[in-house]
Amino acid sequence: MEWKFTDEIPIYQQIMYLLKQEIASGELEAGQKLPSVRELALEAGVNPNTMQKALAELEREGLLYSQRTAGRFVADHQEIRDGLQEELMMEYVEGFLEKMKKLGYSIDEIIVLLQKFK
């Protein structure tokens, strides 16, 4: 995983977003064990407490689960993963539309442009 962070939003939220992308895309599969908090923090170059906060939030959202002595795993809830894919897709579309409107394109013009990519 490529860990790149900005100063725009808290790092733990950026970590959550990156992991959500990997879960939604299937790069992290249902039932897959994650490295330990310390290993992930070292890989990402962040404080272990920051990584722990991100993973705890993802667990709270139902995307991860813990087994007391075995570690953290990707949850196997297809409806949650489907919802995650839709959530991320909407963010991408909204960002794309916002940028296109700033360039002066109308929705109709954007639709015509998109149809060229079929």
Side-chain angles (χ1 to χ4, degrees), residues 4-34:
K4 289 186 179 180
F5 302 112
T6 68
D7 293 334
E8 296 172 17
I9 61 173
I11 290 175
Y12 84 93
Q13 289 178 340
Q14 294 176 64
I15 292 169
M16 289 176 62
Y17 186 76
L18 289 169
L19 290 172
K20 283 180 176 184
Q21 285 181 311
E22 291 212 346
I23 292 169
S25 71
E27 289 179 54
L28 286 175
E29 298 176 356
Q32 183 174 341
K33 185 179 190 295
L34 295 179

Side-chain angles (χ1 to χ4, degrees), residues 21-84:
Q21 285 181 311
E22 291 212 346
I23 292 169
S25 71
E27 289 179 54
L28 286 175
E29 298 176 356
Q32 183 174 341
K33 185 179 190 295
L34 295 179
S36 72
V37 170
R38 291 198 186 283
E39 290 171 323
L40 284 171
L42 185 61
E43 180 185 323
V46 300
N47 185 298
N49 292 330
T50 302
M51 185 62 69
Q52 173 60 31
K53 183 173 183 175
L55 297 177
E57 283 295 312
L58 291 172
E59 196 169 330
R60 188 185 61 74
E61 290 180 12
L63 295 170
L64 302 177
Y65 68 93
S66 293
Q67 288 185 341
R68 190 170 179 95
T69 59
R72 276 200 176 89
F73 298 83
V74 177
D76 190 17
H77 301 293
Q78 188 60 44
E79 64 277 357
I80 292 174
R81 291 176 57 170
D82 290 345
L84 176 58

Side-chain angles (χ1 to χ4, degrees), residues 86-110:
E86 187 169 333
E87 175 188 324
L88 292 173
M89 180 268 304
M90 290 302 291
E91 286 180 26
Y92 296 152
V93 169
E94 287 172 0
F96 169 75
L97 290 175
E98 185 179 309
K99 289 176 183 175
M100 293 300 286
K101 287 178 182 178
K102 284 183 180 179
L103 290 174
Y105 288 95
S106 70
I107 292 292
D108 290 335
E109 291 171 320
I110 295 169

